[in-house]
Structures are given as structure tokens and as C-alpha cells.
Amino acid sequence: MTVIAKILVANRGEIARRVFTTARRLGIGTVAVYSDADAGLPFVAEADLAVRLPGNTPAETYLRGDLVIEAAKKAGADAIHPGYGFLSENADFARAVIAAGLTWIGPTPESIDSMGSKIAAKELMAAAGVPVFGQIDPADATEADLPLLVKASAGGGGRGMRIVRSLGDLAGQVELASTEAASAFGDATVFCEPYLENGRHVEVQVVGDTFGNVLVLGERDCSLQRRHQKVVEEAPAPGLSDQTRRTLHEGAALAAKAIGYVGAGTVEFMVSTSSTSGGQERVSFLEMNTRLQVEHPVTEAVFGIDLVEAQVRVAEGGTVPEAPTHPRGHAVEVRLYAEDPAADYQPQSGLLDAFDIPTDLAFDQFTTYGTRLDSGFVSGSEVGTHYDAMLAKVICWAPTRELALRQLAGVLHRSRLHGIRTNRDLLVELLGHPDVVAGRMTTNFLAEAELDALGGRHVPGRPADQGCALFAAAVALVGESVRSRRVQQAIPAGWRNVYSGPQVETFDLDGTEIRVGWRDARGVLEFVDLYGEVTGATATMPEEIAGGWRVVVEHDGLLRAHDVFLNADRVDVQAPSGHVALRRVPRFVDPAEQVSAGSLLAPMPGTVIAVQAESGAEVEAGQTLLVLEAMKMQHSITAPGDGVVEIAVKVGQQVSAGDVLAVVTSEEESTNEESA
């Protein structure tokens, strides 16, 4: 029997920290590998040893299997855990690890091969008796086959995936999916299958060993997705019939045994939702992920098992662990992303000024009901553009599903997340949505639901809450101004010899300028409109707290406590109704910082991978002009209106957020310029 002494995790961030937590508990040494972009992240410092992989991009670093194996030998590791993503489902890498005399903590290369191609995997599963959807050759597709889902054969995580509802769009979407798949996985092969408009994504956790045993650990519902990437996961899946659960569990066991599966893996299915109208549920195999899943903590919670420990145990030659046959309670996990849901989930990057999520555990196993945080970042971490946008997973385990949803929403609501936009407000809204609470989720729920967080950013709460939050921001700036004085400390804030009107602070809220007026009434600050009329809200001078100011606003007989944090021109308000992110607008604007009308600015740092228009060409509104790649996703930059385009970048160029990519000049603007 093999005894593992030191594990190298061939991954980064959250999953590296997760594996290190179990390894430390088991008395196993830890080794990290890291790119230059990740040098300052917590997982590097937490490992016993860390080895640098020169470069920033995945292709230069975490996808270089030769460098990872070399790092393992250099650090004296005797085993490699691949995490998920990167090389975790690369059979050639698994073979190279084994050939180097190291223990591979994962399934056999042959099992990875058998599931690596989704096309071949479905044929194998059908032969094993697992229910499977048929595949459709894009060249043979007809109107009767629509809608279709184009998928990358070697893909995962929603990349290389497109929904097609018109045959005229099929060829173009196949090409786009193929290009994205080649970039993400090094394999451009794609295929088509029927797309279920109202399906549920349900998956089954399995663990196999070298003795032919397969442990089935219930199922998870992962239907809440954006861009085919999971956002909320839970175990057990709500609302399934007993027959459907049996079909899922038996199908997963058949799939694992058909390929002699060893280690932790997940068998994914689509389940029809016709049961809501009294019909029969239909189950069909999607794919098998031959690795640990991002959402594994919800299974760990309800079955009381450490899946990473199970992986190590099986890799050392042991049998699958014992586990309960039925789940206890309910667990829900959300993925906190650095993205802007109101801007089509545009990835965000930058400095996390504050990253404080009030949970009970970090990576550790639940011993009782509570909350857990698995994150690759902490306050002060830099979120870059070379990797995906997930910041953390927040997990809640409770006696009932209703309580788990409510407690998890409360934890997210109380979290301090300052510096970059996240999907936190969307997650809170989802966890309390009546259809989600009732278990009526499908994979297209987010695409169809009318949610506040998708319809546009806003100050949370009622109008009175919104006004008080903005007033609190202004009051905090008063406190900051008084504290920074070097002379005349005794003079009241905003004092004027002759009162002529309110003091005014101007804030930018999601591109809208908001002016907040106030005046000092003998030591009490009053919130006034711009004509000097008191609105009814008042506050005393703010109290200084760690890193910010505590502002208590009284309005209509209610006291509302706000914590306000100032960082350069940024103002973050933690209000009772939620977080409000503002920017202080300077009184005067530097002309050098202004850009021409019609300028298209880079929404995030990234690389220009395609330019689809030439300078001087006439373009139409909505026409794709160029494509950026950032955080492992492609983002089309389109013309805002009809006009003549001037392209300011070239393919392969690295751009920063706010850089001018192109300028579209309308005929009217061009005429005005000529007249001038």
C-alpha cells in the first residue's frame, strides 16, 4: 500500500487551499505551484513549499505539465493532486505523473480518456445501459432538431458552448464554439445535441476504488446557471421523485463501473421538468467529470464525508470510505464571482479593498449546521484577468432547505466586498426568489427571470433607505475633512458666515451623477435638497471606526447605522439595506482624461483576439467590431450605432480597462465636425 508524504497541488487559489486543509489534517506535506500573477495570493504562502512557474497565462504555467512534474521533484513531493480545471482531466498528464514515479490522485488515464471526448463517452454510456440523448451532426441538422446546443467535446465550465435557435446561425455558432474550445482546451472538436428549454441539471457524486467498489453519494441540483456555468448548487436536489433518484443513482453507478472508475468523480444528467404538470420525469446522461467538482462541499456537508480525504485514501490503495446511505439536512452553495450581472456578466478585475464574509468555517468539514467559506482571495488581494472570475464559494448547511437558503442570503448580505463588482446582489436575490424557494429552477431560469440585479444596478432598499445611504456617504466625507484639518479645528463643518445654500457632494452611482446636499444646524447635520429644504433626515458628526466611519442617520423616527469606507475617490457604504458603491466626482475634470464621442472603451483588461472591421469602413449598430479575451471568456465589442469606424488596436494587443479600442463616428457627428 502506498503512503503519501507530500502532495503537490497542480492548481491555484481556492482548490489549492482546500486540498492543503485536508493534507495538513492528515499529516501530509504540501507544495504549491504558482504563476507570477498569483505570487501574492494566500495559497502560495500557506503551502509548506512553493515553486514558481514563470509567466502569467495558463498556457505558460498551470497547463505546462512538464514544469509541474519538475516542480514536484524539486520540492520532494511524492504525489500530485490536480484540483479541477487545467490539467485535471488530461490523460497524458496523468500518464506523465505516473511515469515519473509519482502517485496520481485521480482516476486512471484510461478512465479519463474514455470520458475525455463527450462524443465517445455518450456512445460508451449508451452501451452500458445509461440513459443518453442522441447526438446531431451539424451538417445534418434540420428545423425539427431546434433548438440545439453546440458543445465542446473536450470542454467544461460552459466554454465552447452555444445555444442555436435558427439554422442560419448554426454554422457561425459552431465556428465560435470551436474557436473558444481550442483556446480553452486545446481541442476544437464540437458537437450538437438537443437543447432542453426547461431542463434541470442534476449530477451524482461517485467514489470508486481499485477493488471495483463504487460509492454513490446522492445527487446535487446545479440548474441555476449563467452562460452554462453554475451559480447555485445544492444537495439533495429538491422535488425529484423517488424513481428519478433511483434512475440517477443507478445510472451513475453503471457509468463508473463501465470504465473501472477510481477516485472521486461526478456523473451529470439532464432531468426534464414535465413532472410539474404531472408527467413522467426524463433522465439523460450529459457527461462525466473525472475529477473533483467545484460544488463538492454540499455533498460533504449532507453526507459527513471529506471527499479530498477519500481521494487520497483511494490513491494510496485503500477502499472507498463508509458513508450514510441518506443525506442529513440540506446544503446550498453559491459561487461568488468578480463580474457585473447587469452588464451581461462582464468579468471584473482589480484590488479587493475588503473581502470579509462572516462564516463559521474556512475549508474545514462541518461537524454541525453552519456556514463555510472556500476562497482563493482575502482583503488586499489583486484579482487579475488571466484566470476565471470565481472569488469564493459560500456554503450553508441547515436542517431544512428553506433555512439554508435564508441563512446563506443573510451571510452574503452582511459581507463586506469592496473594490470590484461582484454578483453578490444577484445571489441574494436568487436565494429569496419565490420560484427558487419553491424549487422551480431550470437551466434557463436566469436567462428568463426578471431580476433587479440583472435589470440594472441600484441603491438597495426603499427610497428612504437609498437617500439615507447617500446622505451617510456625504456625512463621512465631512468627518474625513474635519479630521484632516491642520488648523481651525474648532470651526463647525460646513460653517458659513452668511448662509447661501447647502453644501453639496457629488457622487457617481453606476454612471449617474447624484448630488447630495447638507447643512450644519448647530452641530446636527441635516440632509437637504439642493434648494435648501430639509428632507427630514439628520445625523450627528460621524464616529471613526477601523478603516472608516460609523454614521447614524435618523429619519422618520428610525435610526439607521451605516459604516462608510473611503479609499481615494471610492466610497463604500454598508447600509442596513445593503452595500452601495459610489465614486466621488471631482469638482473639476482633467481635459486629458476625456475621450471622443463614440469611443469604445475596453470594459476590462484583456487581449484583442479578433478585429472584424477595417478603419474607414461603414458599420451598423450592434455589428461586432472586435473580440476581447479575458478571464477565459470571449467578449464581443459591438458598434453603438451606425457610422464610420476607426480601429485603435490590433490582434494580440494587451489592453487595460478604459483603453480606447475603436471610435465610431456617426454621419451627424462627422457633418458637425466638418462644419466646425
Side-chain angles (χ1 to χ4, degrees), residues 24-73:
R24 282 192 296 268
R25 183 171 57 78
L26 297 177
I28 298 174
T30 58
V31 181
V33 288
Y34 65 94
S35 68
D36 293 337
D38 284 343
L41 291 186
F43 80 96
V44 180
E46 290 177 5
D48 296 334
L49 298 170
V51 182
R52 173 177 174 251
L53 303 177
N56 291 309
T57 68
E60 296 172 310
T61 56
Y62 300 108
L63 290 175
R64 285 286 304 274
D66 57 333
L67 295 184
V68 171
I69 292 172
E70 182 181 322
K73 292 180 176 179

Side-chain angles (χ1 to χ4, degrees), residues 162-213:
R162 298 286 192 279
I163 299 173
V164 179
R165 292 187 167 86
S166 167
L167 283 182
D169 297 334
L170 182 57
Q173 293 300 316
V174 166
E175 183 178 353
L176 284 172
S178 180
T179 300
E180 192 169 80
S183 174
F185 312 111
D187 184 345
T189 305
V190 298
F191 67 97
C192 295
E193 67 183 15
Y195 176 66
L196 281 183
E197 294 281 10
N198 294 302
R200 289 175 62 181
H201 186 132
V202 182
E203 60 190 29
V204 180
Q205 178 71 60
V206 297
V207 181
D209 61 27
T210 56
F211 303 97
N213 302 307

Side-chain angles (χ1 to χ4, degrees), residues 600-603 649 653-662:
L600 297 175
L601 308 182
V649 293
Q653 183 174 334
Q654 296 279 336
V655 296
S656 300
D659 284 357
V660 176
L661 304 174

Side-chain angles (χ1 to χ4, degrees), residues 558-581:
L558 296 175
L559 294 179
R560 297 174 172 85
H562 303 74
D563 290 341
V564 185
F565 302 89
L566 310 175
N567 189 328
D569 65 337
R570 290 204 300 272
V571 182
D572 289 282
V573 184
Q574 290 292 141
S577 55
H579 171 237
V580 183

